[in-house]
Each structure stands twice: as C-alpha cells, then as structure tokens.
Amino acid sequence: MRGIDVSENNGFVDWQTVKDAGMEFAMVRTGFGRGDKDSRFDENVAGAHSVGLKVGAYHYSYALNADRAAEEAAFCKKIIDESGVGLELPVFFDMEDEDGYKRRNGFNFDPELITEMCRTFISNLGLDCGVYASLSWLENYIDWRSLNCAVWNAEWGSSDSIKGYMWQYTNSLYIAGKQFDGNILYD
C-alpha cells in the first residue's frame, strides 16, 4: 500500500487529492515531546478518514532517558484518547535527532539506552505500536530486532534494507504540487 506521513508542517492537506493520487493510508503526527500536540492532528486524521484512507500515527521524541520516554507515551496516548479517533494502523515512536535537540542537550547516544527508551515508550503506550527511525539509527542505535514490534524504516532510495512493516522511501513525493514523505506499507 502507498501512503504519506503528515504533520502541521505540511499545512492544509487536500485529502481527496491525496486519495486520487493513489494513496491508501496516512501516518499523522500526534505531537512531539511531553507537551506539544500537533496543531493539525485531529484535522488530518478526520480528513484522511473522510476519503477512506487507513490512518496510523507517530510521535516525535525529545526524550533524553527512559523516564521521559514513558512520559511521552502517556502524552501521546492522551492526545489519541482525547481526540476520540480510531486508528487502523500502529502508532510509531519517532526516535531520531533531526533538529539536533538531543545532541545540544548532552544526550548519551548509547544503543542500549536508546533501545530501552523505545521499549519503554512501546510498553507504556498501551496501543499497537512500533518504532520509526532512519536506517542509520536502526543499524547503529536501536536493537529493533529485540523490540518485537513494527519497524518503519526511513531509507530514501530504491530499496529497503530492513523490509519491516513500512518503508519511507522519499521526502519528495509531490501530490498536486505539494511535497510529502512517501511510504510503502507491506501489510
């Protein structure tokens, strides 16, 4: 199945155009950290559902230790519960350092710690859950095999080295002139 992932950073999404482009699902950001809900979460879930797309979610992590990962899981679950939305696809813990926050805050990039943070989020969420990361994080920082969960690999190009649950193959999928991340769901 082909799909996109979205956040408030994408602005308004014309979901009918997304469906007409052949997309069958959307992964919608719940929020980030322990207190920031994505301002378009409810709107994006409702819009994707309104045109018949399957919907999952992801939560961008700013956790620096396992305790904070547990707090992020509680916050993510609260967003989903309070929104009253049904999700057909898993919720993914987005573990990366795209904006350098972890590095700037003295994060210990220890694979055992990072894997434990992922495990903590997954076990505390109480929903069908997985882990999202770039191939380099999955190879060097996250022992994803030990997590026994869905894996969403961000590896832009023509092949997926992990072949887990889902593959983010590009950040340059254009639909009606608007740029999205493109994904393949293997299920």
Side-chain angles (χ1 to χ4, degrees), residues 111-131:
E112 286 184 27
L113 170 64
I114 293 169
T115 301
E116 183 56 32
M117 289 168 61
C118 293
R119 184 175 287 107
T120 298
F121 183 93
I122 291 165
S123 65
N124 280 277
L125 188 64
L127 298 170
D128 187 13
C129 193
V131 64

Side-chain angles (χ1 to χ4, degrees), residues 69-132:
E71 292 171 9
E72 288 186 350
F75 178 59
C76 177
K77 181 138 179 24
K78 179 180 176 187
I79 291 169
I80 294 166
D81 288 348
E82 288 181 354
S83 296
V85 298
L87 300 174
E88 299 78 24
L89 303 174
V91 177
F92 286 84
F93 185 50
D94 183 348
M95 176 50 80
E96 57 187 326
D97 193 28
E98 186 65 29
D99 60 4
Y101 174 85
K102 289 178 176 73
R103 188 165 307 284
R104 286 191 311 275
N105 285 278
F107 183 67
N108 177 5
F109 287 86
D110 173 58
E112 286 184 27
L113 170 64
I114 293 169
T115 301
E116 183 56 32
M117 289 168 61
C118 293
R119 184 175 287 107
T120 298
F121 183 93
I122 291 165
S123 65
N124 280 277
L125 188 64
L127 298 170
D128 187 13
C129 193
V131 64
Y132 164 92

Side-chain angles (χ1 to χ4, degrees), residues 57-68:
Y58 68 98
H59 192 85
Y60 187 89
S61 178
Y62 281 111
L64 301 174
N65 57 51
D67 288 342
R68 287 201 179 162

Side-chain angles (χ1 to χ4, degrees), residues 1-7 10-20 22-29 40-58 85-89 175 180:
M1 290 177 28
R2 296 176 57 220
I4 60 172
D5 57 271
V6 298
S7 72
N10 294 99
F12 173 79
V13 176
D14 180 338
W15 288 103
Q16 187 61 55
T17 301
V18 169
K19 181 176 179 161
D20 293 346
M23 299 301 112
E24 299 173 79
F25 71 92
M27 302 303 294
V28 180
R29 185 175 74 175
R40 292 189 180 262
F41 174 73
D42 298 334
E43 172 188 327
N44 282 328
V45 172
H49 276 151
S50 74
V51 298
L53 290 143
K54 291 185 177 181
V55 178
Y58 68 98
V85 298
L87 300 174
E88 299 78 24
L89 303 174
I175 298 173
F180 297 96

